Amino acid sequence: MYIRKIIAFAFLSVIIVLIAGLSACERISQITQPATPQMAELSEEISIGVVLPLTGRFNNTFGTPISQGFELARGEINAAPPSGIKLKFIIEDDQSTIDGAVEAFNKLIHQEGVSIILGPATSSQTKLAFPVAQENQVVAISPTSAARGLSALGDYVFRVSLTTDILIPKGIEVTQTKLGYQRAATMYDETDLFSADGDAAVQEVLAAKGVEVITTETFQGGDTDFSQQLTRIQTLNPDVIFVSCLSPEKPGILMQGHELGISAPFIVRTLTAADVQAAGAAAEGAITFVGWGTAVDTPGNKTFVENYNTTFGMEPSNYAARSYATLHILAAAIANAQSTDAAAIRDALASIRDFDTIFGKFSFDANGDAVYDEKVLIVKDGKLVRFE
């Protein structure tokens, strides 16, 4: 009897192990071999959700250039043989707010049924919108958010901007070596994630290099008067001033610094051609850490700049360039996946390596963040050129 119990127990154990093994195999199969898509064939138009600030504070600085970059790329992709991929946009206005971005994501997913969303624009929006995409297993790609850690929120979310931890250390290495600054002041928007994360990273890198941060001044997005902060900085006579904020505030800071007669160079992350134009002479000598510029000699960049100028009658900004590149990267992933299924596109995006873009060779890292060469630019004669 005792032996029979042992045999029965052993038999039951084997059955349990086999069931568990089969379940595990089935899960792996679902991950590595996505189900056949139920949405559309590649020969049909593929709906892409787009979340943009069409109204509100970021309409001009983010909404317009991002939408123009997307439209230029979509026209090229839809006209290009032989992939046969045709894209159409379903656009939602996030009203330049965090709540608006989350609402737009939910609408695109639950009402429009999209499997891919492009956006949102800012890191503060992305922090709360990305989890909505991840929870619903919808691919989301932000072309412009850059605060650290946001792509690590899940495997369905990606970003095309170079992140804070890539741009800032390399930018400081280049500029500190040439300029030799030892005393720095910093300014940042305390209400914005990108800005706060950027200032924190600047201070970490400067401390590691033995550069003293003699003061840090804060302001809030939407402010227009920075004279008090700049005056306090001026009295301390720093070698350099680092500014971390979004585009609406950049020209005002440069212009008011110029009016006060501040001679220390400003290093302003992601300074765009539009920012330079708005600041006028006050932007001269300002330095920026970016992933792209009109003067950069990369595959297709000259053609992109010319086509953008012809189509929209203006020079493309960094945000237009990123949205343009984002859609071409997505189209390549769809073509490689040969599917409109979100899991298949997710896997194809994660597999992109050394893809030729206007940034240069582009890849995604293990977290879904962008990998390509950073650029340091300086304003000379009203133009952003290589800092050499």
Side-chain angles (χ1 to χ4, degrees):
M1 178 68 71
Y2 179 70
I3 293 173
R4 289 176 62 189
K5 287 182 179 179
I6 292 174
I7 293 171
F9 179 75
F11 180 75
L12 180 60
S13 299
V14 169
I15 295 298
I16 291 171
V17 169
L18 285 171
I19 292 171
L22 289 170
S23 298
C25 288
E26 183 180 0
R27 184 172 178 224
I28 292 170
S29 176
Q30 289 173 349
I31 294 172
T32 58
Q33 299 178 1
T36 301
Q38 301 299 314
M39 291 178 52
E41 298 296 329
L42 291 184
S43 58
E44 300 175 7
E45 277 193 326
I46 301 167
S47 295
I48 308 294
V50 179
V51 175
L52 287 171
L54 300 179
T55 58
R57 191 164 76 92
F58 301 133
N59 177 29
N60 291 331
T61 54
F62 283 103
T64 298
I66 290 174
S67 63
Q68 290 174 344
F70 282 149
E71 284 297 342
L72 185 62
R74 186 171 73 99
E76 293 174 0
I77 292 162
N78 286 357
S83 68
I85 292 174
K86 303 290 183 183
L87 305 178
K88 70 175 181 179
F89 293 147
I90 302 175
I91 300 173
E92 289 294 328
D93 179 14
D94 64 32
Q95 303 171 61
S96 299
T97 67
I98 296 171
D99 289 344
V102 172
E103 183 180 346
F105 265 59
N106 276 310
K107 183 177 180 181
L108 287 168
I109 293 168
H110 299 298
Q111 294 183 31
E112 301 293 346
V114 302
S115 60
I116 308 160
I117 298 176
L118 300 178
T122 73
S123 295
S124 297
Q125 293 173 317
T126 300
K127 184 177 180 180
L128 292 186
F130 265 12
V132 176
Q134 181 65 31
E135 180 182 353
N136 290 279
Q137 297 188 343
V138 166
V139 170
I141 312 173
S142 172
T144 52
S145 70
R148 291 173 287 187
L150 300 183
S151 297
L153 292 170
D155 58 342
Y156 278 84
V157 296
F158 300 82
R159 292 185 297 166
V160 170
S161 290
L162 288 176
T163 52
T164 297
D165 51 330
I166 298 296
L167 267 184
I168 288 177
K170 293 180 179 178
I172 289 177
E173 177 66 30
V174 170
T175 55
Q176 207 268 337
T177 297
K178 182 166 183 178
L179 299 178
Y181 48 80
Q182 293 299 318
R183 300 170 71 254
T186 74
M187 291 180 66
Y188 74 97
D189 176 357
E190 62 185 351
T191 66
D192 175 64
L193 176 60
F194 164 81
S195 307
D197 181 60
D199 188 77
V202 164
Q203 300 215 32
E204 290 165 12
V205 176
L206 291 178
K209 293 183 72 64
V211 177
E212 180 186 6
V213 176
I214 57 177
T215 188
T216 294
E217 295 286 343
T218 63
F219 55 91
Q220 297 189 351
D223 286 352
T224 57
D225 184 359
F226 311 98
S227 58
Q228 292 184 9
Q229 295 95 324
L230 290 166
T231 298
R232 287 193 290 268
I233 288 173
Q234 185 181 34
T235 61
L236 296 173
N237 194 29
D239 299 327
V240 67
I241 302 168
F242 285 88
V243 178
S244 298
C245 66
L246 298 175
S247 278
E249 286 70 54
K250 292 172 186 175
I253 291 171
L254 291 173
M255 288 188 290
Q256 290 172 38
H258 183 69
E259 290 167 3
L260 288 169
I262 292 175
S263 58
F266 282 86
I267 297 181
V268 186
R269 183 145 155 242
T270 317
L271 196 65
T272 70
D275 298 331
V276 172
Q277 184 178 12
E284 196 69 14
I287 299 167
T288 189
F289 307 156
V290 293
W292 174 88
T294 57
V296 174
D297 184 18
T298 50
N301 194 39
K302 183 179 179 182
T303 301
F304 160 66
V305 173
E306 290 173 351
N307 290 345
Y308 191 96
N309 260 310
T310 300
T311 304
F312 302 109
M314 65 181 73
E315 187 174 281
S317 75
N318 204 291
Y319 306 127
R322 286 187 240 171
S323 58
Y324 173 86
T326 295
L327 199 65
H328 276 287
I329 292 163
L330 173 61
I334 294 171
N336 290 339
Q338 283 296 294
S339 173
T340 57
D341 176 68
I345 294 168
R346 172 203 64 188
D347 294 343
L349 284 167
S351 299
I352 285 180
R353 296 290 182 274
D354 294 329
F355 179 66
D356 281 329
T357 70
I358 56 174
F359 308 137
K361 296 290 186 182
F362 180 97
S363 304
F364 282 114
D365 68 12
N367 290 323
D369 280 328
V371 178
Y372 52 96
D373 290 338
E374 79 292 340
K375 290 87 180 172
V376 180
L377 307 179
I378 186 170
V379 180
K380 284 189 176 181
D381 300 322
K383 296 288 186 181
L384 284 163
V385 300
R386 286 276 197 176
F387 177 77
E388 296 174 338

